[in-house]
Amino acid sequence: MKFPLSTHSRPGLEDLMSRPLLPSIWRRRTHRVSRGSSVEAGSMSWTSAGPRAPLSELEEAVLIAVTGCSGLTMPDRPFADPRNGKPIMAKPNLNMAGRTAGSPDNAQGTHFFLINDSGTYFLRRLPPPSDGPATAFDPETLCSRAAQAKVQLLDHRIDVPEGKRDFPAYLDSNRFLSNLPGTTVLFPVVDLSRQYVNGLMYLLTQPEGARPAIVDDRNLYRSAGVRKWVASGFLNKDNKLPLGAIWAMRTQIEADLLLQNLMLTADAMGLGAWIHASLAPPIMLGDPKFRPTYGPMLGFDWVTPRWKPADVLRWHVPLPRYAALRACPVGLRHDGEHLIKAMCPPNYADMGAAVDDVVAAKFGPTGIYSDEGLFARIYRGDFGSQYLHQASNYSADVIACTRDLCTYIYETHGRFPAHCDTIHVPGVWLQAHHVENGYYERFFREGLTEAHRTHDQHWHGAG
């Protein structure tokens, strides 16, 4: 059965809103067994007598809201170095829309997919609710925004073909409880490329003498395309920074923080919540190496760097026929629309164009730092306008040096970034479901919280 949206759902939402944070954190536990599931476990085996019970529209809408935008951030940064009064970079953010979890420079590169019995969906990030928190948790608003966010990619629950729920697709016991009928699964991926460009620019705004000379630890620690910037003194030759140490600019942590928020929310709702190994990322995204066995799955766009003899040393790829070992996803299209578009070729003619696009999205005529109305919503009075005019932008040298660096990475290694994935997949997803209460009452001393025991009453009007 599928629980519908009804007035019965409102007490559940009210109960969720009233739950205190610390007890919710303290009592948070994983509940892997969804309603309608049976477990083979020797003397602790369990055979369910109940039907599957998919989440209601509102229950899913709450979880979708937790992945989305929740307001506007505050650029509460200094504008100048107190030691000498020189300007410092105070406009690092890529976005001003806030989310329920933090992000380096508010990059917000994390995208979610939602999987349930009705299909597989990409979740668009909508602007924050126009009326603010006053209406954000109104049931109708939640469901309306959830419907706007969902882009149906498949008309079925994504999974591997029958009989292939073994490694490398699923790990061990997960295959018996993960992604089953009646469950809702939220799967994150993180586009690292935009913040990689922006983060390099931010790194190069350091004071004179502190800007690092970036070297390539996959190319004998040679200069990463910045020799002229070292020669000019713009970069400090004695302050070397390997690309491998830069890695993913910490942008990958977004997904982990958002998953924890989802876990806490689902548990506080009285749902079962379980963060665990997802379908293997290369299989899930449709890596060409796995398509003959598993099909296109989510159908991401992939590129395979052209093999070079130096790849034997740089990447331990011995022959051209193994070039696909370095294949990487660069985007996702649906009905001709780019849902995810990494900042690199083939999405752009070259890396110079990709860098220019990042700069334009921040400082161009339609960029966020050209939108005085946006900052009027963040600041009181005319402080938003003052911020935009007083805080510094990236200098021409910073942008030009970043262009050279990004061009070097792509032309040397055939992909961007090279030292981390273009689109990072944490390899975990969150499953939310109605709990098989009898199983937990039968075998565990503290198997259920009050929220689990009263869930059907509060959310579905059950007696």
Side-chain angles (χ1 to χ4, degrees):
M1 64 179 174
K2 171 100 172 160
F3 290 122
L5 172 65
S6 71
T7 55
H8 294 313
S9 303
R10 294 180 187 272
L13 194 57
E14 292 169 2
D15 179 66
L16 175 64
M17 295 286 285
S18 68
R19 288 201 173 273
L21 175 62
L22 286 178
S24 295
I25 293 174
W26 195 255
R27 289 301 311 275
R28 181 219 61 80
R29 295 292 184 272
T30 295
H31 291 81
R32 296 172 177 81
V33 182
S34 57
R35 192 170 302 177
S37 295
S38 300
V39 178
E40 290 291 332
S43 61
M44 290 176 286
S45 294
W46 176 266
T47 301
S48 176
R52 302 285 182 185
L55 270 57
S56 71
E57 179 185 3
L58 179 58
E59 288 169 322
E60 283 194 346
V62 171
L63 298 178
I64 290 171
V66 170
T67 72
C69 297
S70 56
L72 296 173
T73 60
M74 299 178 292
D76 48 351
R77 299 171 180 269
F79 297 175
D81 188 331
R83 301 171 297 181
N84 51 30
K86 289 186 177 180
I88 60 176
M89 179 60 191
K91 295 177 179 174
N93 281 14
L94 280 170
N95 301 282
M96 295 312 298
R99 211 168 181 182
T100 60
S103 167
D105 300 333
N106 206 30
Q108 302 299 355
T110 302
H111 303 273
F112 273 93
F113 296 83
L114 183 141
I115 304 160
N116 62 23
D117 291 347
S118 68
T120 301
Y121 303 85
F122 174 82
L123 298 181
R124 299 184 191 275
R125 287 202 302 274
L126 304 180
S130 58
D131 295 332
T135 59
F137 287 94
D138 171 79
E140 283 72 26
T141 300
L142 285 166
C143 291
S144 174
R145 286 176 61 82
Q148 293 174 56
K150 292 168 71 173
V151 179
Q152 188 170 39
L153 304 178
L154 303 170
D155 63 359
H156 57 274
R157 177 183 295 274
I158 194 168
D159 206 348
V160 295
E162 185 72 26
K164 295 186 181 294
R165 272 188 161 239
D166 295 306
F167 186 83
Y170 284 91
L171 281 174
D172 196 39
S173 63
N174 288 0
R175 66 186 184 272
F176 302 112
L177 296 171
S178 181
N179 197 23
L180 296 181
T183 66
T184 293
V185 177
L186 287 143
F187 174 68
V189 304
V190 190
D191 176 9
L192 300 178
S193 62
R194 185 176 293 271
Q195 174 58 6
Y196 199 93
V197 174
N198 184 60
L200 289 175
M201 288 191 283
Y202 193 25
L203 179 64
L204 296 178
T205 65
Q206 305 312 300
E208 187 174 349
R211 291 186 287 269
I214 299 175
V215 296
D216 187 355
D217 44 325
R218 288 283 186 172
N219 194 21
L220 302 175
Y221 288 87
R222 294 173 176 171
S223 174
V226 293
R227 283 194 179 91
K228 75 175 186 180
W229 299 99
V230 173
S232 72
F234 181 72
L235 303 180
N236 183 350
K237 64 181 177 59
D238 297 319
N239 185 11
K240 291 183 171 59
L241 178 63
L243 285 168
I246 293 173
W247 197 61
M249 299 283 181
R250 295 183 287 276
T251 311
Q252 80 285 351
I253 67 169
E254 293 177 8
D256 304 330
L257 299 173
L258 287 162
L259 285 169
Q260 174 71 346
N261 284 353
L262 281 165
M263 178 80 182
L264 290 171
T265 302
D267 197 69
M269 292 169 69
L271 295 171
W274 178 26
I275 298 173
H276 60 288
S278 67
L279 264 167
I283 294 173
M284 188 72 168
L285 271 59
D287 186 325
K289 295 186 289 296
F290 291 97
R291 288 194 184 201
T293 301
Y294 299 101
M297 301 298 280
L298 287 175
F300 272 66
D301 295 328
W302 288 73
V303 297
T304 300
R306 182 175 60 83
W307 184 85
K308 300 177 181 179
D311 287 347
V312 176
L313 174 65
R314 293 171 181 160
W315 300 103
H316 304 157
V317 179
L319 294 168
R321 67 173 178 267
Y322 298 115
L325 292 171
R326 297 187 59 231
C328 65
V330 295
L332 176 66
R333 290 175 290 171
H334 179 69
D335 290 342
E337 177 190 1
H338 275 283
L339 299 177
I340 302 175
K341 182 181 179 183
M343 312 302 295
C344 60
N347 298 328
Y348 293 87
D350 53 40
M351 284 309 304
V355 172
D356 290 345
D357 197 21
V358 174
V359 174
K362 294 183 69 168
F363 305 116
T366 59
I368 61 171
Y369 292 108
S370 299
D371 187 351
E372 294 210 7
L374 172 63
F375 287 87
R377 294 167 57 198
I378 296 173
Y379 284 95
R380 297 183 186 275
D382 66 347
F383 288 120
S385 177
Q386 292 181 40
Y387 164 77
L388 290 175
H389 289 90
Q390 294 175 19
S392 299
N393 296 353
Y394 291 132
S395 70
D397 279 351
V398 165
I399 296 170
C401 185
T402 301
R403 284 170 59 100
D404 287 349
L405 179 53
C406 293
T407 298
Y408 164 85
I409 293 171
Y410 182 76
E411 291 184 351
T412 302
H413 297 290
R415 53 183 276 184
F416 180 87
H419 296 61
C420 64
D421 289 333
T422 308
I423 294 175
H424 169 72
V425 187
V428 293
W429 56 19
L430 176 132
Q431 179 171 296
H433 51 251
H434 290 106
V435 175
E436 180 72 9
N437 284 21
Y439 169 78
Y440 290 95
E441 293 280 21
R442 171 72 178 85
F443 296 112
F444 300 97
R445 293 185 185 276
E446 296 185 5
L448 300 174
T449 65
E450 178 197 3
H452 293 114
R453 293 190 181 96
T454 61
H455 175 87
D456 286 358
Q457 175 187 348
H458 286 159
W459 287 87
H460 310 296

